[in-house]
């Protein structure tokens, strides 16, 4: 069974803090993704990575950065958290071998106060 | 740019009734098509997918979907709704390029009334 884990289910941070969200997958998938999910807006892609140290911007990269130093781990960084980054963050991974079906983690609900 | 439209952000059915969730995509080349389900406070999980071959695909929990190329549609159905089907459903389109980046619809919340 593919497992995608995220470091926290719930997180509360203050405005201006640097925030790290970690995602780990155990199926040797080459692709990894970070989304944010907000009511009425569906899933919006923040960044994705198709290989170690490779990354590409998604639809809403502003205010975020990512790091992928190892194949299994993909980190999302909020350089200076703001209240409009309060959201549910979902990590996913996929493989070309399985037609890119995505496996999702349980999500991190981040509140920035 | 590829896009996915899910008609109806909220669908309500009675228990035992037919479930029909609509999905249309814009594409000039054959895509991979997916339906995902999300239960409250959880991540998304795959319900079913179409890649090639038979256009009617069956998934988990009694759901199925039919790929209709001429209509660029991939509607999700289930003959008889169960209370446990209440969730949010997302249609997604992926192409076998660009690291498999998917475009998701905005989601449809399914309510099942007793």
């Amino acid at each position: 069974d593919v497992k995608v884990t995220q470091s926290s289910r719930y997180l509360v941070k203050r405005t201006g803090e640097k925030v790290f969200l970690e995602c780990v997958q155990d199926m040797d998938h080459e692709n990894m993704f970070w989304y944010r999910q907000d009511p009425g807006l569906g899933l919006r892609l923040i960044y994705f990575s198709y290989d170690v140290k490779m990354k590409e911007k998604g639809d809403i990269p502003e205010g975020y950065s990512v790091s992928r130093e190892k194949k299994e781990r993909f980190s999302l960084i909020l350089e200076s958290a703001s209240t409009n980054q309060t959201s549910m963050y979902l990590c996913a991974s996929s493989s070309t071998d399985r037609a890119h079906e995505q496996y999702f983690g349980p999500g991190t609900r981040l509140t920035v106060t | 740019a590829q896009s996915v439209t899910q008609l109806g952000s909220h669908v309500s059915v009675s228990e035992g009734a037919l479930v029909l969730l609509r999905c249309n995509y814009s594409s000039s080349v054959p895509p991979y098509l997916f339906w995902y389900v999300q239960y409250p406070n959880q991540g998304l999980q795959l319900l079913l997918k179409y890649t090639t071959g038979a256009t009617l695909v069956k998934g988990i929990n009694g759901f199925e979907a039919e790929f209709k190329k001429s209509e660029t549609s991939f509607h999700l159905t289930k003959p008889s709704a169960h209370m446990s089907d209440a969730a949010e459903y997302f249609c997604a389109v992926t192409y076998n390029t660009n690291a498999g980046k998917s475009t998701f619809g905005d989601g449809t919340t399914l309510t099942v009334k007793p």
Side-chain angles (χ1 to χ4, degrees):
Chain A
D1 248 11
V2 176
K3 196 165 184 182
V4 179
T5 57
Q6 295 184 228
S7 49
S8 305
R9 290 300 305 273
Y10 300 93
L11 208 53
V12 180
K13 295 292 181 180
R14 294 194 179 275
T15 302
E17 279 193 83
K18 191 169 186 175
V19 181
F20 293 86
L21 302 182
E22 303 282 331
C23 176
V24 178
Q25 51 97 1
D26 66 359
M27 278 301 289
D28 202 38
H29 284 174
E30 59 269 30
N31 309 314
M32 296 189 75
F33 309 84
W34 274 108
Y35 299 90
R36 64 175 284 175
Q37 183 178 22
D38 301 287
L41 297 178
L43 271 71
R44 293 182 291 168
L45 182 65
I46 305 171
Y47 268 96
F48 67 102
S49 169
Y50 51 90
D51 201 350
V52 175
K53 296 190 187 294
M54 306 303 288
K55 60 187 178 185
E56 284 198 24
K57 294 179 180 179
D59 302 317
I60 52 163
E62 297 78 19
Y64 303 94
S65 62
V66 290
S67 172
R68 193 166 180 201
E69 297 296 319
K70 293 186 177 182
K71 191 174 186 180
E72 68 270 19
R73 189 179 298 269
F74 191 36
S75 302
L76 179 69
I77 304 151
L78 286 66
E79 296 290 343
S80 177
S82 63
T83 54
N84 63 13
Q85 292 179 310
T86 291
S87 186
M88 169 71 92
Y89 290 87
L90 293 168
C91 175
S93 70
S94 75
S95 170
T96 307
D97 293 344
R98 290 190 60 82
H100 297 295
E101 69 183 72
Q102 294 194 12
Y103 294 83
F104 285 81
T108 295
R109 188 166 294 280
L110 173 67
T111 302
V112 183
T113 61
Chain B
Q2 59 201 57
S3 66
V4 178
T5 303
Q6 291 183 239
L7 209 61
S9 58
H10 290 86
V11 170
S12 181
V13 301
S14 297
E15 192 172 19
L18 170 73
V19 176
L20 171 60
L21 304 183
R22 299 178 188 272
C23 174
N24 288 88
Y25 64 92
S26 66
S27 170
S28 57
V29 295
Y32 297 151
L33 295 158
F34 304 85
W35 276 99
Y36 293 88
V37 61
Q38 185 180 33
Y39 299 103
N41 295 315
Q42 294 185 27
L44 281 68
Q45 63 185 82
L46 183 71
L47 262 183
L48 49 78
K49 67 181 178 185
Y50 169 80
T51 55
T52 59
T55 56
L56 182 64
V57 293
K58 296 185 185 299
I60 61 172
N61 302 336
F63 285 92
E64 60 183 39
E66 187 171 11
F67 168 54
K68 292 188 176 181
K69 185 179 177 182
S70 60
E71 298 176 9
T72 59
S73 69
F74 191 56
H75 302 330
L76 181 71
T77 60
K78 181 174 180 177
S80 176
H82 192 273
M83 298 296 289
S84 61
D85 294 327
E88 189 161 20
Y89 293 81
F90 292 90
C91 181
V93 171
T94 305
Y95 298 89
N96 196 23
T97 56
N98 202 18
K101 191 173 73 164
S102 292
T103 298
F104 287 81
D106 288 342
T108 297
T109 299
L110 176 67
T111 301
V112 182
K113 299 174 291 186

